[in-house]
């Protein structure tokens, strides 16, 4: 089955924010710091349960709009093989990941690329406070990198959602399994609990994509 990924994301109602507010949050890093730990109560019990990681099945065709994004922001797509390929979760890192996911979901207004850019598909960093699904996730990754997490362990991922439509999420590979950040929910979930069909994700070895199943044909990803 070929999915029309030129309309990747379904928009979820979200409140608008000003460019100044979003820029101020990003520059100050006010939501990157993990909440203060609760003394001795902070244990591994606060972390997600162990789960299996997704398995790549071979090279996949890149999203055309992703390739254009990489031309504009090469550092966002670069793969540094000296970085760890997965993250060892601690309670503090887990809190930071959840905080970034929640706050960007609240801060960014969900709009289609057509309404935003007058383009069928464009990947960007939602720096003006507006964007569709991949823009949410790219901004989350940038902020998590600024918080000290390795970009190589955070891969943009294309899925088919509960409506059979293309959608983009951010997969964080950890020692407890693959965890998914999504603009449709504030819950950071193990990939198997999302209900999505996983199609492909960015490679951890080079600038490119890897299939996560038999059908790696979609060439674009979302509408918002």
């Amino acid at each position: 089955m070929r999915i029309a990924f030129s309309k990747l994301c379904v928009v979820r109602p979200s409140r608008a924010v000003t460019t100044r507010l979003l820029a101020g949050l990003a520059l100050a890093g006010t939501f990157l710091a993990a909440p203060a730990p609760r003394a001795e109560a902070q244990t591994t019990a606060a972390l997600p349960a162990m789960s299996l990681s997704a398995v790549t099945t071979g090279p996949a065709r890149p999203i055309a709009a992703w390739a254009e994004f990489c031309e504009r922001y090469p550092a966002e797509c670069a793969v540094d093989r000296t970085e760890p390929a997965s993250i060892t979760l601690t309670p503090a890192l887990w809190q930071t990941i959840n905080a970034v996911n929640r706050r960007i979901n609240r801060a960014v207004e969900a709009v289609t690329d057509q309404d935003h850019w007058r383009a069928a598909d464009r990947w960007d960093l939602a720096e003006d406070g507006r964007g569709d699904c991949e823009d949410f996730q790219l901004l989350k990754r940038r902020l998590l990198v600024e918080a000290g997490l390795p970009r190589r362990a955070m891969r943009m991922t294309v899925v088919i959602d509960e409506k059979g439509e293309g959608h983009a999420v951010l997969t964080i590979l950890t020692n407890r399994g693959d965890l998914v950040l999504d603009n449709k929910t504030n819950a950071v979930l193990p990939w198997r609990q999302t209900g999505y069909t996983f199609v492909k994700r960015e490679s951890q070895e080079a600038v490119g994509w890897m299939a996560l199943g038999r059908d790696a044909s979609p060439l674009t990803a979302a509408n918002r």
Side-chain angles (χ1 to χ4, degrees):
M1 178 177 67
R2 292 181 66 88
I3 303 297
F5 276 71
S6 58
K7 296 186 177 180
L8 244 190
C9 323
V10 175
V11 174
R12 170 180 66 79
S14 174
R15 67 180 181 85
V17 294
T18 64
T19 303
R20 180 179 177 183
L21 172 60
L22 187 63
L25 287 171
L27 290 173
T30 55
F31 57 86
L32 293 181
R38 291 172 292 175
E40 297 158 7
Q42 200 63 273
T43 69
T44 55
L47 300 176
M50 292 285 189
S51 63
L52 295 175
S53 297
V55 177
T56 58
T57 57
R61 298 178 70 179
I63 303 291
W66 168 85
E68 295 167 358
F69 169 79
C70 293
E71 291 180 2
R72 298 196 310 275
Y73 299 97
E76 297 291 333
C77 300
V79 177
D80 182 355
R81 294 181 63 182
T82 67
E83 288 186 334
S86 70
I87 293 166
T88 299
L89 275 184
T90 64
L93 281 178
W94 178 232
Q95 289 183 6
T96 298
I97 290 166
N98 278 277
V100 168
N101 190 56
R102 287 192 305 269
R103 297 196 188 189
I104 291 303
N105 284 353
R106 290 198 302 264
V108 176
E109 178 189 5
V111 296
T112 65
D113 285 331
Q114 190 62 51
D115 290 339
H116 193 187
W117 302 108
R118 300 295 184 264
D121 192 27
R122 172 174 167 139
W123 287 41
D124 219 292
L125 285 162
E127 291 174 307
D128 62 354
R130 308 174 75 215
D132 66 359
C133 59
E134 68 273 1
D135 307 328
F136 279 77
Q137 318 325 330
L138 288 165
L139 180 56
K140 291 172 190 176
R141 181 167 69 178
R142 170 177 275 192
L143 296 174
L144 288 168
V145 167
E146 291 176 358
L149 280 69
R151 180 179 284 104
R152 187 184 180 203
M154 299 184 287
R155 301 288 82 194
M156 290 295 295
T157 304
V158 170
V159 302
I160 298 169
D161 70 8
E162 71 284 354
K163 295 182 179 179
E165 297 173 328
H167 184 53
V169 298
L170 179 64
T171 298
I172 301 184
L173 288 80
T174 81
N175 63 321
R176 305 183 77 86
D178 296 350
L179 303 174
V180 172
L181 279 66
D182 191 353
N183 61 299
K184 291 187 177 186
T185 176
N186 288 333
V188 178
L189 298 173
W191 70 286
R192 286 184 178 275
Q193 293 182 22
T194 62
Y196 296 152
T197 298
F198 282 69
V199 178
K200 55 188 174 182
R201 74 180 180 211
E202 290 174 307
S203 171
Q204 291 190 292
E205 303 303 321
V207 178
W209 286 72
M210 298 295 291
L212 295 169
R214 289 177 297 175
D215 182 6
S217 59
L219 303 181
T220 57
N223 60 25
R224 55 180 173 178

